[in-house]
């Protein structure tokens, strides 16, 4: 299983690179993934479950640390340029998966659209029972994001929400168990997989 992209993009933005500069780096990220898959293939790997990256611009950490104005946000309050970069990365990863299926005829490469799953969770949070889609359960500072650098989850003075099942974000970066339960069920449904091959296939 390859679940990739978030750290590559997040680390690039953290270096204060512009959107254009980050986007220019995406082809090199995709090339590294190609090289990694080819190495695994050369060592006998034949079943690949490739997860794209989620909506980076919806993470409470990013929303807190990035200086922004309202025009930088999409209709659901996420950083539009961060999510745009994630979608461009995902498009490159999708094309790579298609190319590798043609090159590696005896391998199975399933591409899973994690972005669509996670963004739907945020955009339609209330229908899933979540009330604070952009706020961390474990952190400091309260609304709107409950995230403060230096007082993150697990550090001195951090606070934990009383109802973690109502939150999507656990610590501003990672998802709660409740959110991951929904995400896992959608992954296993095969509705977001190309081609639509069940997870059981990878267990044999």
């Amino acid at each position: 299983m390859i679940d990739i992209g978030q750290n590559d993009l997040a680390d690039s933005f953290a270096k204060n690179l512009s959107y254009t500069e980050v986007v220019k780096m995406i082809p090199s990220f995709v090339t590294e993934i190609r090289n990694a898959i080819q190495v695994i293939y050369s060592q006998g790997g034949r079943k690949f479950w490739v997860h794209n990256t989620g909506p980076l611009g919806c993470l409470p950490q990013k929303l807190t640390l990035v200086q922004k104005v309202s025009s930088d946000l999409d209709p659901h309050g996420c950083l539009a340029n961060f999510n745009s970069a994630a979608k461009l990365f995902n498009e490159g990863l999708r094309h790579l998966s298609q190319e590798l299926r043609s090159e590696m005829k005896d391998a199975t490469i399933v591409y899973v659209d994690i972005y669509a799953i996670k963004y739907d969770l945020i955009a339609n949070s209330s229908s899933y029972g979540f009330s604070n889609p952009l706020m961390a359960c474990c952190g400091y500072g309260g609304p709107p994001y409950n995230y403060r650098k230096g007082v993150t989850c697990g550090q001195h003075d951090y606070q934990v929400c009383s109802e973690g099942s109502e939150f999507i974000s656990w610590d501003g970066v990672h998802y709660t168990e409740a959110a991951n339960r929904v995400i896992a069920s959608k992954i296993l449904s095969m509705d977001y997989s190309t081609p639509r091959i069940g997870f059981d296939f990878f267990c044999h």
Side-chain angles (χ1 to χ4, degrees), residues 118-133:
K118 290 184 174 179
Y119 194 76
D120 174 64
L121 196 63
I122 291 162
N124 300 294
S125 57
S126 60
S127 66
Y128 293 102
F130 298 109
S131 57
N132 297 286

Side-chain angles (χ1 to χ4, degrees), residues 2 33-41 48 50 96 100 104:
I2 298 171
I33 298 166
R34 170 186 280 278
N35 294 340
I37 291 176
Q38 288 175 328
V39 168
I40 296 168
Y41 180 83
F48 298 87
V50 182
L96 174 64
L100 291 177
M104 304 173 178

Side-chain angles (χ1 to χ4, degrees), residues 27 46 58 70 74 86 93 95 109 112 128 165 177 192 202:
R46 292 296 182 270
C58 299
S70 59
D74 72 9
L93 191 60
H95 280 297
I109 301 170
V112 185
Y128 293 102
S165 61
E177 184 175 342
Y192 298 85
F202 295 93

Side-chain angles (χ1 to χ4, degrees), residues 76-97:
H76 299 290
C78 303
L79 290 163
N81 62 342
F82 278 52
N83 282 353
S84 176
K87 287 188 279 191
L88 287 171
F89 171 85
N90 290 340
E91 186 62 16
L93 191 60
R94 186 181 69 83
H95 280 297
L96 174 64
S97 298

